Amino acid sequence: MDTLPTSFDLKPDPSVQSLEIRTEVLDPITNTDSECVFQLPMNGILDGGSFVQLAVSADDSHFFPMMTGIHSLIDSCELQVGTKVVMSNQKYGHRQTLVRQLDSPEHRAYVDMVKVGATGDRWAQKDGAKAISFRDLTYNAAQTTAAIPEFIRPTTSASTTPVFAVQLSQLFPAMLLRTLPLFAMKEQVYIRLRWSKQTTDAQLGSITCQTAGSGASKLASPSLSNIKFVSDHLFYNDDTMNARASQIASQSGEAFLYEDLILTESQTPASSAVGGGQVVEQRVEREVAVAGRNVRSLLLADQYTTLTDEKSQAVGLFGKYIASEGRVPDELNFRVNDSRVFDRNLVAPPRKWNELRFAMGRPLRVPSILYSQDNDTNKGVANRALNQQTIAPSVAVEGYGLTAGHLNATQHYTGLDLSTTGVNALGAGTQIGVKPIQITKTYHRTTGENQARTLRVWANVERTMTIKNGEVMVSA
């Protein structure tokens, strides 16, 4: 919305004016092993560059999921004004695993490794082998074993465990382009973070992974004394601040568009056992609960419901933050406002990757072998058996041997662009009628790939926030 004031819309300001940034370090008002809540001071304009400081307490045999980092600690988050939830992000760790892979590998390696503790973002050809291996790990002289660097491994001591940072704009994507005028709002503003659980051995991979064969405890929890919110507040000159306050206090108030996320989660039961060399189709239809809303894009992540059904090496290194596809590609299509989106189902990995690029506005930057099993399978047989190895099988990463395609197609995300202008930007969403969006998916089940699956769909919806006389109202 081009009419937004400077204090709401993060665009270059055509005029030069004074700006002061005041930073406050906040302790949570509620801080437990299940959640924490921050109450924001009601002054200035909240900037999306504010961040949550996070840390984990776990034995030093643990490490963060390689594609996710500290994001795995957060299960969901909410931004509340009074009692109203105005922004939310459910299954945050799963979605953020994808979102961070839209950045360049160099940014993820040189910035994210330090800020969030992820390590699986750059790959290189292994010396003397026609295969690739992780680039940013610590290798032995013979390049047969690799380990997560020590400086980003958690410890059990609050004084030595590494501390990481998650930006407010990562928790709530709307805050990347929008700011909140806290100084002109009547109701208190809260940020609520709910933690992932790793209180039993079976939950290993929810917050941290562990070196294979370690006999140490598998439990991990937030390091409560290290959890803070570093809140940046913007202060423009008096004329600008007074003008904004006057606008908010006017009869019409101040209204602006922002984006929010709605998660729809569904289950697909296991199919019957599949014989060797056979392929069995399993067709399912799922609905996305966004009827009556403006939707700009969909993001899909599909995985086995039970973590132990995934290839053990993949779970050992990536935790539960996996989106996988079988050796024979699935078929995918959508129905929006009673109209079929694609005349032919999406099957080929390049087509799915391309649709995801349109939906996210940038390409997914991972090796093709992590996106699809296409590189390593035999197209001459129906069940596409593995007949080569792209990821170096001679390297054991944290004790996990990378053989038999264990990491293949474990970052297989798909998406749908629903923008109406050809430019995936705020305000270009599709109005969904009384019928929800329908997803049609056909799984091609092969031997060992017939287990139950969980499909998560994040809908990027457009909402309107109105601030009038200091009170906040949001559309559905």
Side-chain angles (χ1 to χ4, degrees), residues 151-427:
F151 77 96
I152 52 174
R153 299 182 82 114
T155 70
T156 54
S157 170
S159 61
T160 60
T161 195
V163 175
F164 302 100
V166 174
Q167 286 188 322
L168 188 63
S169 59
Q170 293 175 314
L171 297 172
F172 309 107
M175 295 301 296
L176 184 64
L177 297 174
R178 296 288 183 258
T179 56
L180 289 179
L182 299 177
F183 76 100
M185 298 168 68
K186 289 182 178 179
E187 297 177 289
Q188 291 292 333
V189 178
Y190 304 93
I191 295 174
R192 183 184 301 274
L193 305 176
R194 293 186 174 88
W195 309 127
S196 300
K197 296 290 186 182
Q198 193 167 312
T199 56
T200 67
D201 290 357
Q203 293 173 328
L204 180 67
S206 298
I207 298 176
T208 58
C209 303
Q210 190 177 43
T211 303
S214 172
S217 170
K218 293 178 170 54
L219 309 187
S221 61
S223 178
L224 299 181
S225 62
N226 281 310
I227 294 174
K228 313 284 184 183
F229 184 67
V230 181
S231 185
D232 287 338
H233 299 257
L234 311 181
F235 293 83
Y236 293 89
N237 58 48
D238 289 344
D239 290 342
T240 300
M241 300 293 279
N242 291 336
R244 294 285 63 76
S246 298
Q247 179 64 38
I248 290 171
S250 68
Q251 185 69 24
S252 59
E254 193 77 60
F256 58 93
L257 274 176
Y258 72 99
E259 59 184 357
D260 199 7
L261 299 167
I262 295 178
L263 172 66
T264 301
E265 192 171 274
S266 60
Q267 309 295 321
T268 298
S271 71
S272 57
V274 182
Q278 296 182 333
V279 178
V280 174
E281 290 189 353
Q282 184 183 21
R283 185 176 185 273
V284 298
E285 293 183 354
R286 298 291 180 259
E287 293 183 342
V288 183
V290 290
R293 299 176 184 266
N294 282 337
V295 181
R296 191 155 58 90
S297 62
L298 299 180
L299 169 64
L300 287 70
D302 198 336
Q303 66 173 187
Y304 290 115
T305 301
T306 304
L307 278 176
T308 53
D309 289 337
E310 295 281 7
K311 305 176 182 71
S312 59
Q313 280 84 344
V315 176
L317 298 176
F318 296 163
K320 67 180 183 180
Y321 304 98
I322 291 171
S324 58
E325 185 179 50
R327 296 192 302 272
V328 181
D330 303 331
E331 297 183 28
L332 179 66
N333 214 324
F334 304 86
R335 182 173 288 274
V336 178
N337 290 334
D338 238 3
S339 178
R340 184 179 170 94
V341 174
F342 302 105
D343 56 347
R344 298 177 64 186
N345 293 342
L346 300 178
V347 181
R351 285 198 68 196
K352 295 175 183 175
W353 182 91
N354 209 39
E355 292 302 327
L356 177 64
R357 177 175 66 89
F358 292 142
M360 301 304 293
R362 291 180 289 170
L364 187 70
R365 301 180 187 185
V366 298
S368 59
I369 193 60
L370 287 191
Y371 188 73
S372 164
Q373 304 214 44
D374 206 43
N375 288 10
D376 286 359
T377 55
N378 181 2
K379 312 307 182 295
V381 295
N383 68 338
R384 297 199 178 186
L386 293 169
N387 62 355
Q388 66 176 23
Q389 182 68 42
T390 297
I391 297 176
S394 56
V395 180
V397 180
E398 287 293 335
Y400 295 95
L402 307 183
T403 58
H406 286 290
L407 300 186
N408 295 10
T410 50
Q411 300 296 307
H412 184 83
Y413 297 93
T414 51
L416 177 65
D417 175 22
L418 288 171
S419 60
T420 57
T421 63
V423 178
N424 197 329
L426 195 62

Side-chain angles (χ1 to χ4, degrees), residues 30-82:
T30 300
N31 198 13
T32 70
D33 283 340
S34 59
E35 70 172 17
C36 82
V37 179
F38 295 98
Q39 179 177 321
L40 304 187
M42 305 302 287
N43 55 65
I45 299 165
L46 180 65
D47 183 65
S50 306
F51 64 88
V52 181
Q53 175 182 292
L54 298 174
V56 164
S57 175
D59 182 271
D60 60 8
S61 65
H62 289 243
F63 56 92
F64 293 104
M66 294 180 66
M67 309 298 285
T68 309
I70 194 66
H71 298 297
S72 62
L73 177 60
I74 302 172
D75 179 67
S76 64
C77 51
E78 296 174 351
L79 180 68
Q80 291 181 229
V81 178

Side-chain angles (χ1 to χ4, degrees), residues 1 255-258 462-466 473-476:
M1 299 178 68
F256 58 93
L257 274 176
Y258 72 99
E462 298 174 344
R463 304 177 70 184
T464 301
M465 180 183 295
T466 302
M473 296 164 282
V474 294
S475 63

